Amino acid sequence: MTESAEPLVCPVCGTPPVPGARFCHNCGAVLDVAGLSEATAERRIVTVLFGDLSDFTAWAEDLDPERVGVVTDRVLAALSRATVDMGGRVDKLTGDGIMAVFGAPTAHEDDAERAVRAAARMQTDVRRLMEEESGGGRRMGLRVGLNTGEVLAGVQAHLTYTVVGDTVNTASRLSDAAGVGAVFAGRETALATM
């Protein structure tokens, strides 16, 4: 008996793949990294979203680690759903945040607007979740940065599909500068959504 080269489900979201697909049609995850090479990297115009929970460390200090895990999972699941529902792709989850990409590997005419809508939904979802979770002495909030521009998109180090470039770095810096509950967008993102 030989093994099929096709994965039974997406390793990220569990969705059965379309036969022959290189990326999951639901979340955009790479399905067969062995079949891809750096030669498939390409320049793309994308909108990158960074969402970061503020006061996460202080919030989690006095809580049981299992409780922290449950709440964090709920928050990250909400951020991921907002991304996927708006046609974006979760590039990576950090311990207390998300990096999402709109425009790679699948591009839409309105990727910047989709990213803005996802950011607004993320803020609403996190506020709702924080109302339900009392946590430690402080409440967490979400900071979001968005930036639109050119990146190099493709598989890095034979591991995973991602995007790299100054657009990504700027989106991260915008997230760091955003106030709790705010969304900071770069100039190109703002212009693309007017």
Side-chain angles (χ1 to χ4, degrees), residues 6-25:
E6 288 295 326
L8 298 176
V9 296
C10 169
V12 174
C13 72
T15 302
V18 173
R22 296 184 340 190
F23 302 98
C24 174
H25 68 278

Side-chain angles (χ1 to χ4, degrees), residues 90-120:
V90 175
D91 189 86
K92 60 185 64 90
L93 295 174
T94 63
D96 61 352
I98 189 171
M99 175 184 160
V101 179
F102 295 79
T106 303
H108 302 93
E109 190 173 291
D110 59 346
D111 280 316
E113 184 169 336
R114 288 170 183 258
V116 169
R117 289 180 185 274

Side-chain angles (χ1 to χ4, degrees), residues 2-155:
T2 62
E3 289 186 47
S4 169
E6 288 295 326
L8 298 176
V9 296
C10 169
V12 174
C13 72
T15 302
V18 173
R22 296 184 340 190
F23 302 98
C24 174
H25 68 278
N26 184 50
C27 72
V30 174
L31 296 175
D32 180 14
V33 176
L36 298 174
S37 70
E38 279 74 17
T40 63
E42 61 184 337
R43 291 177 181 263
R44 301 286 291 258
I45 301 295
V46 302
T47 299
V48 177
L49 178 154
F50 270 91
D52 182 48
L53 290 172
S54 66
D55 296 325
F56 177 79
T57 303
W59 175 84
E61 273 178 350
D62 300 323
L63 291 179
D64 180 81
E66 287 182 18
R67 184 73 188 133
V68 172
V70 167
V71 174
T72 304
D73 283 351
R74 288 184 68 202
V75 170
L76 293 177
L79 301 180
S80 297
R81 269 192 310 275
T83 299
V84 173
D85 289 352
M86 292 295 155
R89 186 183 144 280
V90 175
D91 189 86
K92 60 185 64 90
L93 295 174
T94 63
D96 61 352
I98 189 171
M99 175 184 160
V101 179
F102 295 79
T106 303
H108 302 93
E109 190 173 291
D110 59 346
D111 280 316
E113 184 169 336
R114 288 170 183 258
V116 169
R117 289 180 185 274
R121 180 171 156 193
M122 287 175 182
Q123 290 292 8
T124 300
D125 290 349
V126 168
R127 277 192 289 277
R128 180 183 47 77
L129 286 167
M130 289 303 102
E131 286 174 10
E132 296 170 7
E133 303 290 342
S134 58
R138 296 187 192 179
R139 297 181 78 134
M140 288 187 289
L142 185 68
R143 303 170 190 261
V144 179
L146 299 167
N147 196 43
T148 302
E150 188 176 58
V151 297
L152 186 65
V155 175

